[in-house]
């Protein structure tokens, strides 16, 4: 492979560090241009020592000062704020930008990468959830390619190789069901933060781990699939598959179904986005179906996990509804993580926020920024 240049937005997070893990295994193929983070500058300084990027961008000013104290010998640029993140994202030297920030904070920097026409590895699903129409239009206008990093969407991308979208009947997105898959409704009220953070199959950042426990993550993935592959919401189904071996499926118009499988590891979809359309060698544990023995499937329970229903409804309503759901969810999840509200108040806060906001049909970036800010304010004020 010819040497390529990579920038990582959110290099200190779960996806960011696993991206660097993949890079480390094939270091000769890559030049790291920018690494960016919010505040975790100790980790960032370690990454700079190891991967020698051209420069870094740090969201918070105080964290930038701390980074300069930690690494006075670093002579590259140390950018700051959202402008700094956007400058790194838009750098014309980038061949690929890994969008691995969490939440709505990724929208503007990811858009900067897209407007520069780069290949974007998209882990930051909230960007598509909140601003899918704007993002996909910008990708078309600027010739940018969006490659799925989420394991389900990477699975769909792999199933679609050599196929025509016109021949697809539906997507079936698999979900592990999270830590509370089998918990009765009356116990959900009392689950602790620690318990919600213990995902059975995946080790991920805190926010997505809670989204997996409520099934909002799956709702967001339905939205992500709708935008990435331009498919109607009614042709995207979700099935619970607790073993997380099948990462998703595509059913074709003749009833033939392709599934992409493997042991759960984000290294595989991350590397696939980096080497697309090729598969490259990767030293990961291999799947042994005889040892696994049984794969099981069940329908999601929308009574116990209303977030999935809310996400489908918001996607059907279109306009700013998905953006409201995302913003209210971010606030509700952080209130839960801070120990201020019970688990079951997360969907309640989202629904109340939706009912108090005006629906807007057509959304520009400025509408989306305004909707996000207002929905956050409302969601933060709702008694739970
Ligand atoms: P994380 O919390 O571990 O990391 C987030 C990264 O973004 C960190 O580097 C942090 O410094 C940076 N960041 C956070 N807020 C920021 C801000 N305001 N400004 C600038 N930088 C900021 O999150 P994660 O689990 O790596 O998830 C990242 C994204 O990938 C999410 O959208 C998530 O849904 C998606 N995703 C994650 C996984 C996984 O296995 N972790 C799998 C699929 C999709
Ligand atoms: Mg996923």
């Amino acid at each position: 492979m010819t040497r390529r240049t990579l920038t990582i937005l959110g290099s200190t997070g779960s996806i960011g560090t696993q991206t660097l893990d993949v890079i480390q295994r094939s270091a000769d193929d890559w030049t790291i241009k920018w690494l960016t983070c919010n505040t975790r500058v100790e980790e960032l300084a370690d990454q700079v020592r190891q991967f020698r990027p051209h420069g870094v961008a740090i969201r918070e000013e105080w964290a930038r000062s701390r980074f300069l104290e930690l690494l006075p010998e670093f002579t590259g640029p140390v950018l700051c704020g959202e402008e700094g993140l956007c400058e790194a994202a838009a750098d014309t030297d980038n061949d690929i930008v890994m969008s691995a920030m969490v939440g709505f904070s990724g929208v503007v920097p990811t858009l900067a990468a897209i407007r520069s026409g780069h290949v974007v590895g998209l882990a930051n699903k909230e960007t598509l959830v909140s601003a899918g129409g704007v993002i996909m239009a910008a990708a078309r206008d600027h010739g940018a390619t969006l490659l799925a990093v989420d394991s389900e969407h990477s699975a769909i991308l792999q199933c679609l190789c050599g196929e025509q979208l016109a021949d697809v009947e539906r997507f079936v997105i698999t979900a592990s069901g999270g830590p509370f898959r089998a918990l009765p409704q009356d116990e959900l009220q009392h689950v602790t933060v620690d318990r919600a953070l213990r995902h059975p199959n995946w080790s991920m950042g805190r926010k997505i781990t809670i989204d997996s426990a409520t099934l909002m993550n799956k709702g967001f993935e339905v939205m992500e699939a709708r935008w990435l592959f331009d498919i109607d919401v009614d042709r995207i189904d979700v099935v619970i598959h607790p073993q997380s071996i099948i990462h998703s499926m595509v059913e074709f118009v003749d009833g033939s179904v392709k599934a992409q499988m493997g042991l759960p590891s984000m290294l595989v979809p991350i590397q696939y986005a980096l080497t697309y359309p090729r598969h490259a060698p990767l030293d990961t544990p291999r799947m042994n179906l005889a040892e696994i023995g049984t794969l099981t499937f069940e329908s999601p329970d929308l009574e116990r996990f209303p977030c999935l229903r809310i996400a489908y409804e918001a996607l059907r309503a279109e306009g700013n509804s998905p953006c409201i759901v995302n913003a209210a969810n971010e606030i509700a999840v952080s209130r839960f993580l801070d120990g201020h509200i019970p688990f079951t108040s997360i969907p309640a806060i989202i629904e109340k926020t939706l009912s108090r906001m005006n629906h807007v049909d057509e959304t520009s970036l400025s509408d989306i920024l305004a909707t996000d800010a207002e929905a956050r304010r409302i969601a933060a004020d709702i008694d739970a």
Side-chain angles (χ1 to χ4, degrees):
M1 198 168 90
T2 51
R3 207 173 167 84
R4 292 197 300 153
T5 300
L6 171 71
T7 282
I8 306 177
L9 303 175
S11 66
T12 56
S14 164
I15 294 291
T17 52
Q18 291 183 87
T19 303
L20 287 171
D21 186 352
V22 168
I23 294 301
Q24 194 185 6
R25 296 158 187 249
S26 54
D28 293 349
D29 297 338
W30 295 97
T31 300
I32 305 291
K33 190 73 198 267
W34 298 91
L35 295 178
T36 83
C37 77
N38 190 24
T39 56
R40 298 218 298 254
V41 285
E42 278 79 11
E43 286 99 321
L44 186 70
D46 288 342
Q47 294 179 344
V48 168
R49 285 188 200 97
Q50 186 178 356
F51 293 94
R52 312 209 157 275
H54 159 79
V56 298
I58 299 163
R59 181 70 179 83
E60 297 294 332
E61 180 65 51
W62 66 262
R64 178 182 188 270
S65 310
R66 175 91 188 102
F67 176 83
L68 292 171
E69 282 165 24
L70 283 169
L71 217 64
E73 66 276 22
F74 184 63
T75 53
V78 182
L79 308 179
C80 194
E82 188 170 73
E83 283 148 36
L85 298 171
C86 289
E87 189 178 329
D91 190 316
T92 50
D93 285 346
N94 292 330
D95 290 311
I96 178 159
V97 174
M98 180 59 76
S99 166
M101 290 164 58
V102 64
F104 190 84
S105 67
V107 170
V108 172
T110 303
L111 202 52
I114 290 171
R115 287 179 172 156
S116 298
H118 299 322
V119 174
V120 176
L122 192 76
N124 176 222
K125 67 190 85 185
E126 296 92 339
T127 283
L128 279 181
V129 168
S130 307
V134 171
I135 293 285
M136 296 316 288
R140 268 191 308 278
D141 292 348
H142 297 276
T145 305
L146 291 186
L147 291 175
V149 171
D150 219 345
S151 57
E152 295 75 6
H153 306 75
S154 179
I156 291 170
L157 184 65
Q158 293 175 59
C159 291
L160 288 175
C161 280
E163 307 290 355
Q164 308 273 323
L165 263 182
D167 300 341
V168 170
E169 188 146 301
R170 63 178 184 133
F171 293 166
V172 182
I173 296 183
T174 52
S176 70
F180 307 135
R181 179 176 60 85
L183 207 67
Q185 172 83 45
D186 52 348
E187 290 181 37
L188 279 176
Q189 175 80 11
H190 307 292
V191 299
T192 61
V193 172
D194 275 355
R195 219 173 142 196
L197 284 173
R198 252 178 272 137
H199 194 279
N201 304 348
W202 300 94
S203 155
M204 310 179 284
R206 285 158 63 88
K207 193 256 177 187
I208 184 178
T209 305
I210 302 304
D211 288 346
S212 300
T214 60
L215 290 199
M216 183 55 93
N217 182 53
K218 218 38 64 176
F220 285 169
E221 290 182 354
V222 171
M223 298 188 187
E224 194 184 357
R226 180 260 172 271
W227 290 112
L228 275 179
F229 302 104
D230 193 19
I231 185 173
D232 192 76
V233 51
D234 293 314
R235 295 201 291 146
I236 311 173
D237 290 335
V238 169
V239 68
I240 305 289
H241 165 45
Q243 298 80 17
S244 297
I245 295 295
I246 295 182
H247 301 307
S248 279
M249 294 172 260
V250 175
E251 183 176 298
F252 295 91
V253 288
D254 55 1
S256 168
V257 179
K258 276 189 181 176
Q260 189 267 341
M261 307 169 75
L263 293 179
S265 160
M266 283 310 294
L267 296 178
V268 178
I270 288 170
Q271 173 167 289
Y272 188 67
L274 296 177
T275 62
Y276 177 83
R278 299 286 305 275
H279 289 271
L282 187 65
D283 183 17
T284 49
R286 294 317 199 228
M287 176 179 82
N288 179 333
L289 282 179
E291 251 171 38
I292 293 165
T294 314
L295 300 182
T296 60
F297 304 91
E298 59 201 65
S299 293
D301 180 346
L302 301 186
E303 295 285 315
R304 279 185 307 131
F305 299 102
C307 285
L308 181 56
R309 171 183 54 74
I310 295 170
Y312 265 107
E313 287 169 4
L315 186 55
R316 288 197 180 98
E318 297 184 341
N320 62 347
S321 295
C323 179
I324 297 169
V325 170
N326 179 69
N329 181 62
E330 282 190 35
I331 295 297
V333 168
S334 84
R335 289 176 68 182
F336 171 70
L337 282 169
D338 290 342
H340 295 154
I341 60 165
F343 184 76
T344 43
S345 289
I346 296 174
I349 287 175
I350 298 167
E351 292 211 284
K352 282 188 192 154
T353 307
L354 272 166
S355 71
R356 290 182 197 178
M357 295 264 313
N358 288 329
H359 180 86
V360 179
D361 275 336
E362 289 300 319
T363 47
S364 64
L365 181 61
S366 60
D367 294 331
I368 285 163
L369 293 170
T371 293
D372 175 74
E374 193 185 349
R376 278 169 198 274
R377 204 166 32 71
I378 291 175
D381 276 350
I382 288 170
D383 289 331

